[in-house]
Amino acid sequence: MKKVLALVLFAAIIAAIIWLLIHFKGFGGLGKDSDKGEGKNGTSVSEVVEKKETTTSEEATEVKTEKSTEAIKTEVISISISKDEYIYNNNMISFDDLINEIKSKDNDIQIELSIDDTAAKNTVDELTDKLDELGYKNYKKLDK
């Protein structure tokens, strides 16, 4: 009985493998939808690669151009928050002085908030609430 069960299981596995190979074009184009296309050797592999490389190069150039244009337009302020302290330009700064420094900048400025694991939630919330109140929407919270 065990031998018969093993043979049936083995036959089922072989049948499943054959079905998968045929269904997913495993036998050199004998699978499902193998008659679609331009015919035999309609498109070579090198043509496909060239098209992808050209598209990728153009997109990369466009992305670099956009990023460099944005970099020229926007300045980035990096603020670190640790415990209940604000660190700006590698110096500890009070909340009021930090807000005055930010106010002197344009509203389109990019602000990066590096939040330490030890940062107090109310310290972070106080700064983000004030930034929202002043109209600075371009800030990112970066966790360390």
Side-chain angles (χ1 to χ4, degrees):
M1 180 70 179
K2 289 182 180 180
K3 289 183 181 181
V4 174
L5 184 60
L7 286 174
V8 171
L9 182 63
F10 182 74
I13 291 173
I14 297 297
I17 290 172
I18 292 172
W19 180 81
L20 287 172
L21 288 173
I22 290 174
H23 186 70
F24 294 108
K25 297 184 183 181
F27 287 119
L30 294 177
K32 184 178 177 183
D33 298 330
S34 63
D35 57 341
K36 292 183 179 178
E38 298 177 45
K40 193 172 187 178
N41 296 330
T43 306
S44 69
V45 175
S46 61
E47 290 174 344
V48 174
V49 171
E50 288 175 18
K51 290 178 186 176
K52 286 184 180 179
E53 289 175 0
T54 304
T55 304
T56 306
S57 299
E58 290 171 359
E59 289 174 356
T61 305
E62 289 175 11
V63 170
K64 286 180 184 177
T65 305
E66 290 175 10
K67 285 184 179 178
S68 56
T69 304
E70 289 178 12
I72 293 170
K73 290 181 182 177
T74 60
E75 180 183 349
V76 177
I77 292 180
S78 295
I79 302 169
S80 296
I81 303 173
S82 181
K83 297 180 185 176
D84 60 345
E85 301 168 341
Y86 301 102
I87 302 169
Y88 174 66
N89 285 341
N90 294 325
N91 295 320
M92 288 180 27
I93 188 169
S94 70
F95 178 75
D96 294 329
D97 291 339
L98 179 62
I99 295 302
N100 289 334
E101 186 70 32
I102 293 172
K103 281 182 182 179
S104 68
K105 308 291 183 184
D106 189 30
N107 276 5
D108 293 333
I109 195 163
Q110 180 68 39
I111 301 172
E112 293 180 351
L113 303 175
S114 298
I115 302 170
D116 195 352
D117 291 340
T118 61
K121 183 179 180 337
N122 62 346
T123 305
V124 176
D125 291 343
E126 180 182 31
L127 180 59
T128 56
D129 291 345
K130 189 64 172 180
L131 291 173
D132 288 337
E133 179 184 319
L134 295 173
Y136 292 94
K137 301 295 181 189
N138 293 333
Y139 62 87
K140 295 181 192 174
K141 292 182 181 180
L142 308 172
D143 295 327
K144 285 186 179 180

